[in-house]
Amino acid sequence: MYFEFVTKDGYLTKNDKTTPDEYIGDSKEKDMCSKKDNAMEENIKPPTSLYLRLEIDLVCASLLIVALITRLYNLNEPNFIVFDELHYGRYVSLYTKGVFFFDAHPPLGKQLLFLAGRIAGYDGNFTFDRIGTPYTENVPIRALRLIPAVAGSLLVSVTYRLMLELSCYQWTAILAALLVLFENCFLAQSRFMLLESIQILFGLCGLLCVIKSTRKTDAASVIWLCIGALSLGCCFSVKYSGVYTYFLALFLVGRQVWRQMSIPKSGLFLILSSLWRLAILFVLPLSVYVGVFYAHLTMLPKAGPHDSVMTSAFQASLQGGLASITRGQPLHVAHGSQITLRHTHGRTCWLHSHAHVYPVRYTDGRGSSHQQQVTCYSFKDVNNWWIVKRPDQVSLSVAHPPDAVRHGDVVQLLHGITSRALNSHDVAAPVSPQSQEVSCYIDYNVSMPAQNLWRVDIVNRDSEDATWDSIRSMVRLVHVDSGSALKFSGRQLPSWGFHQHEVVADKILTHQDTVWNVEEHRYTKAEDRREREREIVTAEMIPTTVTQLTFWEKFAELQYKMITHAPDAPHGHMFASEPAEWPLLVRSIAYWLSPNSNAQIHLIGNLVTWYTGTVSVFLFSSLLIVYALRQRRACLDLPPKASQKFYDAAYILFLGYWLHYLPYFFIDRTLFLHHYLPAYIFKILLLAFVADHIYYILQLSKKSRPLTNLFIISICIWMAYVVLTFKKFSVLNYGTTDLTENDLMNLRWKDTWDFILHKKG
Amino acid sequence: MSNKIRKRNTTNDSSKIWWVTFGLLCGATFVTRFYKVLEPDHVCWDETHFGKMASWYINRTFFFDVHPPLGKMLIALSGKLTGYDGTFPFEKPGDKYENAKYEGMRIFCTTLGALVIPLTFLTIWEMTKSLESTFIGTVLLLCDVGFLTLNRYILLDPILLFFMSCSIYGAFKVRTLTEEGLQPFSIRMLAWQVFLGAAIASTISVKFVGLFIVLFVGLRTIADLWNILGDLEKPVSLTIKHLIGRTVTLIVWPMILYVFFFWIHLTVLSKSGNGDGFYSSGFQARLEGNSLHNASAPRVLAYGAQITLKNHRTGGGYLHSHHHLYPAGTGARQQQVTTYTHKDDNNRWLVKPFDREIVSGVVIVRSGDLVRLTHVATGRNLHSHRERAPLTTKHMQVTGYGEDGIGDANDVWKVVISGGKDGEEVQTVKSKLMFVHYLQACILTTTGKQLPKWGYEQQEVACNPNLRDKNALWNVEDNVFEDLPKVSFEVYASGFMERFLESHAVMFQGNAGLKPKEGEVTSQPWQWPINYRGQFFSGSAHRIYLLGNPVVWWTNLVFLAIFFVVYTVNSIRQKRAEAFGKPIQTGKEYDLLNAACWNFMGWALHYVPFWAMGRVLYFHHYFPALAFSSMLTGILTEYLLKSISSYLSQELGRTVYHCAIGVIISTTVYSFYMFSPLAYGMSGPLAHEPNSTMAGLKWLESWEF
């Protein structure tokens, strides 16, 4: 892993200024670590054919080895489900079985876990039921945890390389890498089936490549940018929060383009150079993203427990599930069709009615029509069947050929069991009084004329006379008299409505809850013409293949559902925390507690690093302000090169930190400490950079020599503290040590941390 | 010599033109705003809220609202001065005013709303010193029907927009003065800064969206200071002087004013009203007519006292129990324990030590003590056990258990004073108490969820195993114990600062609680700039519909896009000029673009944050942003016309220039004339019917008039 193959075709005539990175042609494996000195190569006359160059960066390699040791040590312990392994493990099982599932996060991370599981021969037969369940023999737990652990280890080397790229001292780079290495929260997050370490690794890798690209020209720049773009694409295909890293990279490239503009070169050159950059940065990550979803949908062909989230069309395109019911049903809804109508987006339920009426008076004193209730019911039921009828025809049987209903036609809907027509009128709905009530009605009551005509408005029609197709067509039923649309209001009826969901007619037509689609469908067969009916039915059958949706249709729907999906994460989770609490590590997260001892796992940071990191952010901000003010008064404190380096750090590390942190203040969801980790890695880098900068200032003047030494010594002492704290808290990462109450009290450095103890006896 | 005279003549001329334009616009404003101002003579839209609140101010009864008080106090003041007596109920929109004197309040609001137009004129003038920009920008705002509608009723928006315009005007006035090099502590400078400070304080005291104008002024001030600092001919001390001047006038002074407005608010509302329940016991003790006012109780809690416990959550009730059991299927069939917001004998609990029934002498309850609480009316103990709570299944059920105060070990609770030390005495009202269940290690809390009918729709009480529950704080309110000396509740009554802070906590909680319910259709930010859907102010025979003038709004939208393009192109051109060492252009055009840039920033500040807000949003939230957007359009129009005519010959250029301005103005005015019935009232059939007066004007399907 830590050498590079370079293939060369002899064009390599050395000139002294180039550094090794610039003449990499097609390297198969890009280096994460490359050696500093290239003196040896200077002397060798390169051969004119293929050749292989081997470089090992000892520092980088040894950092990696130490990281691997810490991350991989006892990886199969604890042999229990730890925290979110519950979810990710479940997804891995579903991938193994090819069963479709819905998750609000993009799939790449889960696919990687699955890949590892598959190679190790995981058969998917383990139910991930709750945190703390012991794993059985058939779960290759070591393999499943391997990828996050390796990613977490590589993170250390990438940090090192990134700091070098920011032209820091090598010692600073080592310092940064060590800080990441000895950080309990990264250790904990890397050792289990969790995705943050993978996301952060891809993010930092991408950033590193993009930075390299901005500092080079020509081919090397293109290659680095491509690799960076791919890596960034992977980053936000693991978790959407990776998109902040992508924005940062966009910003950096934008900044580069902006700076190029002040170079006196031709306009065309500038336009081209910025265009190809932007093209790479847009196209590659997006294709990674789409590709990952392509793989996702291809890998999951079977219907499963989650598919009720998706539309009927999507469900029917999967194997089994709805497809097995709807297979062979007629396609076009016609006069006389018996249908079930499903609420397309959001909550799964079917239009429903039953022989109960709305109460005469509601508890708030309003009156109702006292007609038969119409609701939306979340379970399959015989009362979900409706018959489509043209208002002017009496017979309910399907004609030959079927009289297909088209976009814009006016129909009535008869409830199958009670044979009353779907009706709406100017009476306030029971729970949403701003909308109209919908009821089932037959002309008994003379005082109220029937208003039971509905216009079929096909939302996704291809042409103006499109037929109403089962499953595929999304329809809006518009009430002819009032112009309102049949709508699922989202509210539940009280006990008189059996807590089913309310259905209303609403003035606002273009709401997603006004969209319905036919799910199950059959033609009404009249008794006497049974033979012919069967003929008709067989003639109109869809071939016995499953409904086909193109990849793009599926992709678009999945994206739409993922965006609109409201997570029902419990508010007030015991270990939830708020963004404002993160910089001071107010809360930890309990990941696991051993069933038989007090050994436990927590996500908790290294408090020493954590606090110094927060201080460094303040220090850096004040430095930034001071330099800016001084510069405004034309006092240049730093030589141009140092100043350049300082502002680079400001744009990459400082901005990166806030970009990954601030958005959480506006997210209205239950948040946890691990959401802070992508920001935190930037903070650690910033911390190392601040140390670097202070050292730089101190060594500028000869007089402050003793001060410089003092600074180095204090950094060493502080580093020792970091390592000690890491060691002390690592028992909470490995989870193999039984802890007494006393031990836990010793670890409880803050009152707000909650550790768990088994009750005695 | 003759040259000089001519120059004076032209300045005289232009100043005359300026005054004529200004006068003309003022006149037009007056006419448009006050035409039919008293119609309809019924309650329109949110007048029902703000009218009601004005009545409460006049009657001095306490209420709770999510907005800060200044706007409502001004409405109340104007009502009081014009003879409104605070008796009209303002029950719902559409109620006829009959004899209530609403005119004063409406005219007051309309006046403030009308003043926005001249202020805008002055502001654009201050930004650009160009009459064309000023004129176009002002006319756009003047001819916007939505702006007119919103500014004619008893609402907070006219007041907000007025103070906002004052702030913007002040900010640019201060910029001009700074650029003229006025000394930081000169009277004129300070006077304008004090004006600006007062304006921003007033804006934020009307509605919290005023925060954005505070940010805008903050940015403006930083830019001023940055410019002063950049002038290397002046010493740094000048910047520091300016900084001190602005800190005092733009930070300290507005803060004082803001607090002062709350002081008036809290002083005026001295009587108990419907808002009491939202506030703590200490707060309520200040309100005349509240049962805590002028009451007295022992200072500390002793065993044997009968107490009521109030929950600390906003609007939290009293710990309550009654002779009814939990129904079958929800945990154990034992007596219900709930919280109840009204004062009732069933809220009384007797405090006993965990191991004895009777305590001799006076023993004070201290933090860390183990106690039992016996419900006085039924003799059952407060009890919890390993059963699910009725609604929140992760919590444990809390019941009343035992007979005549004899129960079991699950009745024992540990009293802990939040933030106190072990052994501290429990004080009436002041101590925030937590009750930790001794055996189950859970904490007594209320979830705020309403129980179904069997629980009489009171709120659920449960025992939360997560001890960090923020709603688990209680305080002793009534404390009946004979053997201790009583002190007056005056002692507990919160001081002004405490009440000030508490009312903020309650307001923010109220604001955060304004969440759209599932399935509810709310206005969304993307709909606003495109004028997607309006808002009915008044229905029935005299329909009024708040909707922007589409010509103005869509022009504004286009110009926002144009600005973006122009600004980007210009920046690139400058950067390129820099590359080739050409001089960077300055002058009139640059000033115009700079002013446009500030307006763009103002627009973005007043619009973009709404995208991130989780609360319920309304169409009228866009109007502050619209003001900026219109000014931007005015300025950019001139910039574009100037640029275009500079490419043409002088003669042709001037003709095109004036024609374009003429077309713009006349289109705007004509569209105003067409859409004005939206503001002045429509009757008859709706617009989609052919015989309507508004036929053909329903340009978008989503408009509802």
Side-chain angles (χ1 to χ4, degrees):
Chain A
M1 280 270 254
Y2 310 103
F3 46 84
E4 73 182 42
F5 301 90
V6 181
T7 51
K8 284 276 153 42
D9 311 294
Y11 78 95
L12 193 79
T13 44
K14 182 95 19 176
N15 73 47
D16 298 334
K17 280 171 198 160
T18 48
T19 60
D21 289 325
E22 279 178 46
Y23 45 79
I24 292 157
D26 337 294
S27 46
K28 277 192 185 156
E29 191 121 27
K30 276 296 157 248
D31 64 334
M32 306 231 179
C33 322
S34 78
K35 209 159 123 190
K36 286 269 98 180
D37 67 318
N38 54 356
M40 206 171 69
E41 292 161 52
E42 301 279 334
N43 302 329
I44 302 166
K45 186 87 182 154
T48 49
S49 60
L50 274 174
Y51 84 111
L52 182 118
R53 195 176 72 209
L54 184 74
E55 279 190 5
I56 299 177
D57 183 337
L58 285 179
V59 178
C60 193
S62 41
L63 279 173
L64 182 73
I65 289 166
V66 181
L68 278 172
I69 293 170
T70 55
R71 267 60 174 172
L72 295 178
Y73 169 74
N74 254 349
L75 197 58
N76 56 336
E77 289 290 335
N79 199 8
F80 296 90
I81 298 179
V82 176
F83 196 56
D84 273 352
E85 286 192 345
L86 178 69
H87 301 294
Y88 298 123
R90 201 178 280 161
Y91 296 139
V92 168
S93 298
L94 289 171
Y95 267 125
T96 315
K97 291 178 177 163
V99 172
F100 178 80
F101 63 86
F102 176 79
D103 182 31
H105 299 295
L108 181 64
K110 289 163 278 183
Q111 285 167 346
L112 288 176
L113 294 183
F114 156 71
L115 213 65
R118 181 170 172 137
I119 290 168
Y122 174 53
D123 56 4
N125 289 324
F126 180 78
T127 37
F128 288 82
D129 52 354
R130 53 185 193 81
I131 298 171
T133 312
Y135 286 117
T136 51
E137 283 296 304
N138 64 341
V139 185
I141 190 60
R142 209 186 278 267
L144 286 171
R145 285 176 183 167
L146 186 68
I147 291 198
V150 171
S153 318
L154 282 174
L155 197 55
V156 177
S157 342
V158 173
T159 320
Y160 172 75
R161 292 295 310 166
L162 186 65
M163 287 312 274
L164 282 184
E165 200 57 48
L166 285 176
S167 35
C168 290
Y169 297 106
Q170 191 179 16
W171 278 109
T172 316
I174 294 174
L175 178 72
L178 285 180
L179 286 175
V180 175
L181 177 62
F182 295 121
E183 177 50 68
N184 299 79
C185 61
F186 289 126
L187 177 62
Q189 206 67 9
S190 314
R191 284 178 48 85
F192 306 100
M193 292 181 232
L194 303 169
L195 305 182
E196 272 78 9
S197 61
I198 308 179
Q199 180 213 326
I200 298 174
L201 177 70
F202 277 132
L204 282 199
C205 256
L207 216 51
L208 174 63
C209 298
V210 169
I211 296 168
K212 268 184 188 291
S213 130
T214 57
R215 302 194 166 173
K216 294 190 192 316
T217 47
D218 309 330
S221 178
V222 181
I223 294 169
W224 281 117
L225 194 61
C226 288
I227 302 171
L230 288 176
S231 183
L232 289 166
C234 293
C235 175
F236 67 74
S237 304
V238 173
K239 276 203 150 192
Y240 280 130
S241 58
V243 89
Y244 302 128
T245 322
Y246 175 65
F247 288 154
L248 183 62
L250 270 185
F251 171 80
L252 290 177
V253 172
R255 179 169 172 250
Q256 185 198 6
V257 168
W258 181 246
R259 282 157 62 132
Q260 269 185 356
M261 254 176 240
S262 53
I263 304 169
K265 277 188 179 167
S266 81
L268 189 69
F269 167 81
L270 284 183
I271 290 171
L272 286 179
S273 87
S274 41
L275 273 187
W276 70 255
R277 286 206 167 82
L278 291 181
I280 290 177
L281 219 46
F282 281 119
V283 173
L284 285 184
L286 270 182
S287 25
V288 168
Y289 183 72
V290 174
V292 161
F293 269 93
Y294 185 80
H296 178 73
L297 289 169
T298 322
M299 283 156 84
L300 304 173
K302 295 182 198 154
H306 289 193
D307 56 359
S308 62
V309 182
M310 310 306 287
T311 59
S312 307
F314 194 101
Q315 286 183 47
S317 72
L318 299 169
Q319 297 162 16
L322 185 69
S324 53
I325 301 170
T326 57
R327 174 177 304 171
Q329 70 185 13
L331 180 62
H332 301 308
V333 175
H335 167 77
S337 280
Q338 300 176 3
I339 57 171
T340 61
L341 264 180
R342 181 185 190 257
H343 168 233
T344 304
H345 300 297
R347 193 184 177 85
T348 313
C349 62
W350 292 269
L351 190 70
H352 178 99
S353 182
H354 40 226
H356 295 273
V357 292
Y358 288 112
V360 184
R361 282 211 176 275
Y362 301 122
T363 43
D364 59 358
R366 288 183 296 117
S368 83
S369 66
H370 201 52
Q371 293 171 7
Q372 183 170 310
Q373 296 171 14
V374 172
T375 66
C376 200
Y377 188 46
S378 308
F379 301 94
K380 299 251 172 184
D381 188 277
V382 70
N383 271 321
N384 297 348
W385 285 94
W386 299 80
I387 302 171
V388 179
K389 176 179 174 293
R390 291 213 186 262
D392 48 352
Q393 292 187 27
V394 186
S395 155
L396 279 182
S397 65
V398 175
H400 177 71
D403 173 17
V405 176
R406 291 172 187 278
H407 170 70
D409 286 1
V410 172
V411 297
Q412 289 173 325
L413 285 177
L414 299 188
H415 184 236
I417 302 291
T418 60
S419 57
R420 296 182 181 199
L422 189 73
N423 182 64
S424 180
H425 42 219
D426 190 14
V427 173
V431 189
S432 326
Q434 70 275 18
S435 310
Q436 277 190 179
E437 181 190 271
V438 172
S439 63
C440 262
Y441 185 52
I442 199 163
D443 266 322
Y444 292 145
N445 189 345
V446 192
S447 67
M448 272 192 174
Q451 303 178 10
N452 52 17
L453 299 181
W454 299 85
R455 197 179 68 242
V456 177
D457 189 359
I458 298 175
V459 182
N460 56 344
R461 58 181 180 270
D462 305 323
S463 63
E464 285 309 301
D465 63 343
T467 50
W468 183 6
D469 297 345
S470 61
I471 295 186
R472 200 187 301 151
S473 294
M474 297 184 186
V475 297
R476 187 173 285 135
L477 292 169
V478 182
H479 188 234
V480 173
D481 295 83
S482 63
S484 306
L486 189 73
K487 182 185 165 198
F488 166 80
S489 76
R491 294 185 175 85
Q492 264 180 312
L493 296 173
S495 53
W496 54 256
F498 309 96
H499 301 294
Q500 294 173 7
H501 285 269
E502 185 193 35
V503 168
V504 299
D506 197 275
K507 278 254 182 299
I508 295 162
L509 304 183
T510 51
H511 192 275
Q512 71 152 3
D513 281 331
T514 59
V515 178
W516 301 79
N517 67 280
V518 170
E519 193 162 283
E520 291 174 63
H521 178 211
R522 58 190 178 227
Y523 285 154
T524 307
K525 302 168 194 171
E527 290 294 325
D528 50 342
R529 286 177 289 181
R530 191 169 271 258
E531 274 313 299
R532 211 173 63 196
E533 287 300 322
R534 192 174 296 138
E535 239 168 74
I536 299 167
V537 170
T538 41
E540 269 296 320
M541 286 252 197
I542 315 174
T544 46
T545 52
V546 286
T547 308
Q548 292 292 341
L549 283 185
T550 62
F551 164 69
W552 290 108
E553 281 170 324
K554 282 186 171 184
F555 177 71
E557 183 184 335
L558 198 55
Q559 292 301 309
Y560 177 72
K561 294 283 177 188
M562 285 168 87
I563 291 166
T564 53
H565 173 73
D568 36 41
H571 269 274
H573 185 282
M574 179 104 181
F575 289 96
S577 50
E578 277 161 26
E581 298 173 340
W582 295 340
L584 291 179
L585 195 60
V586 174
R587 303 287 291 153
S588 65
I589 310 175
Y591 271 13
W592 172 78
L593 172 68
S594 161
N596 14 1
S597 72
N598 281 327
Q600 52 190 298
I601 293 174
H602 274 259
L603 178 72
I604 201 161
N606 186 330
L607 203 63
V608 179
T609 321
W610 208 280
Y611 273 30
T612 354
T614 306
V615 172
S616 77
V617 171
F618 281 109
L619 254 174
F620 191 87
S621 330
S622 25
L623 278 175
L624 204 61
I625 293 172
V626 168
Y627 285 143
L629 289 179
R630 298 265 304 160
Q631 206 174 15
R632 186 76 183 160
R633 293 301 293 183
C635 306
L636 302 174
D637 301 292
L638 296 174
K641 216 167 173 192
S643 165
Q644 165 85 17
K645 176 178 149 187
F646 184 80
Y647 285 113
D648 275 353
Y651 282 120
I652 297 166
L653 305 179
F654 192 63
L655 188 72
Y657 171 67
W658 290 108
L659 204 57
H660 284 78
Y661 177 42
L662 280 184
Y664 287 102
F665 283 96
F666 303 100
I667 290 179
D668 192 22
R669 248 194 359 209
T670 312
L671 293 171
F672 294 93
L673 185 65
H674 57 71
H675 288 122
Y676 185 57
L677 295 184
Y680 183 55
I681 190 117
F682 283 96
K683 200 168 170 180
I684 291 186
L685 298 185
L686 191 67
L687 166 60
F689 181 82
V690 169
D692 183 271
H693 190 72
I694 292 174
Y695 174 77
Y696 171 78
I697 291 174
L698 287 178
Q699 58 91 46
L700 267 185
S701 80
K702 288 271 186 307
K703 269 181 262 170
S704 57
R705 194 60 192 252
L707 220 57
T708 317
N709 291 336
L710 191 68
F711 179 70
I712 294 173
I713 293 169
S714 50
I715 288 280
C716 290
I717 295 172
W718 169 75
M719 195 62 217
Y721 264 109
V722 170
V723 176
L724 284 178
T725 318
F726 169 76
K727 185 142 189 325
K728 192 172 164 73
F729 279 93
S730 61
V731 287
L732 292 176
N733 303 133
Y734 292 110
T736 43
T737 324
D738 187 9
L739 298 165
T740 62
E741 190 176 341
N742 221 0
D743 292 337
L744 283 173
M745 285 315 285
N746 276 334
L747 287 178
R748 196 162 175 242
W749 285 9
K750 294 189 90 161
D751 282 345
T752 48
W753 292 353
D754 291 324
F755 295 130
I756 315 171
L757 267 179
H758 279 293
K759 260 189 208 144
K760 284 170 210 134
Chain B
M1 186 70 178
S2 65
N3 219 352
K4 217 173 186 179
I5 289 170
R6 236 169 69 195
K7 202 171 182 188
R8 193 182 296 155
N9 269 344
T10 43
T11 46
N12 252 348
D13 274 356
S14 61
S15 115
K16 215 180 267 171
I17 295 175
W18 192 94
W19 279 107
V20 168
T21 324
F22 186 59
L24 203 74
L25 283 172
C26 287
T29 309
F30 183 80
V31 173
T32 50
R33 309 288 133 156
F34 285 95
Y35 174 62
K36 285 192 183 179
V37 67
L38 297 179
E39 283 179 32
D41 59 348
H42 56 240
V43 179
C44 290
W45 194 48
D46 272 0
E47 285 190 347
T48 166
H49 297 304
F50 302 117
K52 219 181 280 171
M53 288 167 191
S55 305
W56 283 326
Y57 273 112
I58 291 171
N59 298 325
R60 308 190 68 170
T61 52
F62 191 77
F63 65 95
F64 162 71
D65 185 37
V66 294
H67 298 301
L70 181 66
K72 292 162 290 183
M73 291 198 301
L74 285 176
I75 295 176
L77 183 70
S78 66
K80 183 91 183 167
L81 292 180
T82 53
Y84 171 62
D85 55 2
T87 50
F88 187 72
F90 284 98
E91 223 162 59
K92 61 177 189 302
D95 288 357
K96 279 263 179 272
Y97 278 119
E98 309 289 352
N99 295 323
K101 290 199 183 255
Y102 72 101
E103 297 91 347
M105 290 189 276
R106 208 179 256 182
I107 289 176
F108 169 74
C109 288
T110 312
T111 311
L112 288 192
L115 283 175
V116 172
I117 305 291
L119 274 169
T120 309
F121 185 90
L122 294 174
T123 309
I124 309 180
W125 174 253
E126 208 58 57
M127 285 175 180
T128 61
K129 300 287 180 196
S130 141
L131 201 55
E132 288 90 341
S133 300
T134 311
F135 188 61
I136 298 173
T138 316
V139 166
L140 282 174
L141 212 54
L142 173 69
C143 291
D144 181 46
V145 189
F147 216 74
L148 171 64
T149 315
L150 191 66
N151 284 337
R152 275 159 51 98
Y153 299 94
I154 308 173
L155 302 174
L156 294 186
D157 301 81
I159 306 173
L160 175 79
L161 286 165
F162 169 72
F163 285 127
M164 202 189 93
S165 308
C166 287
S167 311
I168 309 169
Y169 179 51
F172 282 92
K173 192 79 196 174
V174 169
R175 178 181 84 163
T176 318
L177 294 181
T178 315
E179 276 172 359
E180 280 170 9
L182 224 60
Q183 283 308 303
F185 298 129
S186 64
I187 300 288
R188 217 165 132 225
M189 193 78 189
L190 282 182
W192 276 106
Q193 283 182 7
V194 166
F195 166 77
L196 175 58
I200 56 174
S202 307
T203 319
I204 202 170
S205 307
V206 174
K207 271 189 177 190
F208 283 124
V209 285
L211 181 67
F212 301 134
I213 209 72
V214 175
L215 286 179
F216 182 77
V217 171
L219 286 175
R220 209 26 275 148
T221 308
I222 290 171
D224 276 350
L225 291 174
W226 188 249
N227 288 339
I228 299 168
L229 186 70
D231 187 354
L232 294 180
E233 285 162 15
K234 304 270 166 60
V236 183
S237 60
L238 180 73
T239 316
I240 292 171
K241 276 184 196 160
H242 270 291
L243 181 68
I244 293 170
R246 277 160 219 232
T247 316
V248 173
T249 52
L250 299 183
I251 298 177
V252 178
W253 157 241
M255 270 159 76
I256 294 172
L257 264 185
Y258 181 76
V259 174
F260 176 65
F261 292 139
F262 267 89
W263 181 80
I264 299 180
H265 166 74
L266 291 173
T267 314
V268 168
L269 298 179
S270 58
K271 293 180 194 159
S272 161
N274 63 3
D276 295 16
F278 289 97
Y279 293 85
S280 65
S281 312
F283 198 109
Q284 292 184 31
R286 281 272 176 212
L287 298 170
E288 285 166 42
N290 189 294
S291 62
L292 295 183
H293 189 71
N294 279 342
S296 58
R299 194 180 58 82
V300 289
L301 179 65
Y303 286 107
Q306 286 192 15
I307 58 170
T308 59
L309 285 171
K310 185 177 194 301
N311 190 269
H312 256 264
R313 164 194 191 96
T314 312
Y318 299 94
L319 189 69
H320 178 99
S321 184
H322 42 226
H323 263 302
H324 297 273
L325 307 184
Y326 284 105
T330 48
R333 281 202 58 131
Q334 294 171 5
Q335 185 168 305
Q336 295 172 14
V337 175
T338 63
T339 56
Y340 187 49
T341 38
H342 297 275
K343 298 189 178 177
D344 180 307
D345 267 349
N346 272 330
N347 300 342
R348 293 192 171 275
W349 298 83
L350 177 69
V351 188
K352 297 189 299 192
F354 74 102
D355 50 355
R356 281 161 295 163
E357 285 307 299
I358 295 168
V359 182
S360 54
V362 178
V363 183
I364 310 294
V365 182
R366 289 165 191 277
S367 177
D369 281 7
L370 296 178
V371 302
R372 284 177 301 160
L373 293 174
T374 306
H375 188 236
V376 175
T378 59
R380 308 226 191 260
N381 289 338
L382 188 72
H383 176 100
S384 181
H385 47 214
R386 279 200 170 274
E387 290 279 352
R388 285 176 171 184
L391 301 179
T392 315
T393 47
K394 287 204 167 163
H395 295 181
M396 284 180 244
Q397 187 192 27
V398 173
T399 66
Y401 180 74
E403 245 168 75
D404 293 333
I406 314 286
D408 67 5
N410 268 329
D411 300 348
V412 180
W413 300 83
K414 185 174 166 186
V415 182
V416 181
I417 297 178
S418 167
K421 292 189 208 78
D422 260 10
E424 210 175 292
E425 291 177 346
V426 174
Q427 299 190 25
T428 316
V429 179
K430 278 193 175 161
S431 302
K432 293 179 185 167
L433 303 178
M434 298 188 284
F435 291 89
V436 181
H437 195 262
Y438 187 61
L439 291 181
Q440 306 297 345
C442 57
I443 191 162
L444 185 74
T445 187
T446 172
T447 57
K449 295 178 192 162
Q450 233 179 32
L451 294 171
K453 216 172 223 169
W454 55 256
Y456 303 93
E457 277 145 20
Q458 295 170 7
Q459 292 174 339
E460 180 192 43
V461 167
C463 199
N464 189 350
N466 179 1
L467 300 186
R468 299 195 186 276
D469 190 333
K470 288 183 186 118
N471 292 326
L473 295 177
W474 304 80
N475 72 280
V476 175
E477 193 168 290
D478 293 350
N479 179 5
V480 183
F481 191 71
E482 296 307 325
D483 299 345
L484 274 175
K486 286 183 179 176
V487 291
S488 162
F489 256 72
E490 284 293 302
V491 181
Y492 305 124
S494 328
F496 167 69
M497 263 344 246
E498 275 173 80
R499 290 195 294 159
F500 175 75
L501 295 177
E502 188 182 334
S503 45
H504 276 78
V506 175
M507 270 192 287
F508 286 129
Q509 212 166 335
N511 255 322
L514 288 175
K515 290 268 163 64
K517 295 174 195 81
E518 197 194 343
E520 192 175 22
V521 183
T522 54
S523 185
Q524 284 164 345
W526 65 264
Q527 300 174 343
W528 303 341
I530 54 175
N531 203 13
Y532 182 76
R533 175 176 289 135
Q535 167 81 49
F536 262 113
F537 266 37
S538 155
S540 69
H542 192 96
R543 287 194 310 276
I544 287 167
Y545 189 64
L546 173 70
L547 185 77
N549 180 345
V551 174
V552 174
W553 285 54
W554 295 341
T555 317
N556 279 344
L557 198 60
V558 170
F559 272 79
L560 282 170
I562 294 180
F563 170 76
F564 187 74
V565 174
V566 166
Y567 190 78
T568 316
V569 168
N570 221 47
S571 313
I572 292 176
R573 261 171 48 191
Q574 258 185 36
K575 193 85 183 166
R576 295 297 291 162
E578 212 176 284
F580 292 101
K582 286 184 201 155
I584 295 159
Q585 58 156 340
T586 46
K588 188 75 188 164
E589 298 219 328
Y590 174 78
D591 287 346
L592 282 177
L593 204 59
N594 186 327
C597 192
W598 279 105
N599 277 309
F600 184 79
M601 240 154 65
W603 172 80
L605 261 180
H606 283 82
Y607 177 56
V608 176
F610 286 104
W611 285 84
M613 279 189 202
R615 61 163 276 171
V616 184
L617 298 173
Y618 299 101
F619 180 51
H620 67 267
H621 286 153
Y622 185 67
F623 282 81
L626 178 79
F628 280 105
S629 176
S630 302
M631 294 197 277
L632 172 71
T633 309
I635 295 167
L636 203 60
T637 314
E638 198 199 340
Y639 176 84
L640 285 181
L641 286 177
K642 282 236 165 90
S643 311
I644 291 169
S645 61
S646 72
Y647 289 112
L648 306 172
S649 70
Q650 204 183 7
E651 193 67 14
L652 185 63
R654 202 185 299 147
T655 319
V656 168
Y657 183 82
H658 285 121
C659 284
I661 287 186
V663 168
I664 292 168
I665 302 281
S666 51
T667 321
T668 314
V669 172
Y670 181 65
S671 65
F672 172 75
Y673 168 74
M674 286 204 304
F675 281 96
S676 59
L678 289 178
Y680 295 131
M682 304 166 277
S683 50
L686 289 170
H688 58 80
E689 291 158 41
N691 54 349
S692 162
T693 45
M694 301 296 288
L697 287 182
K698 197 175 170 181
W699 295 350
L700 280 188
E701 267 302 299
S702 49
W703 295 347
E704 296 147 319
F705 57 86

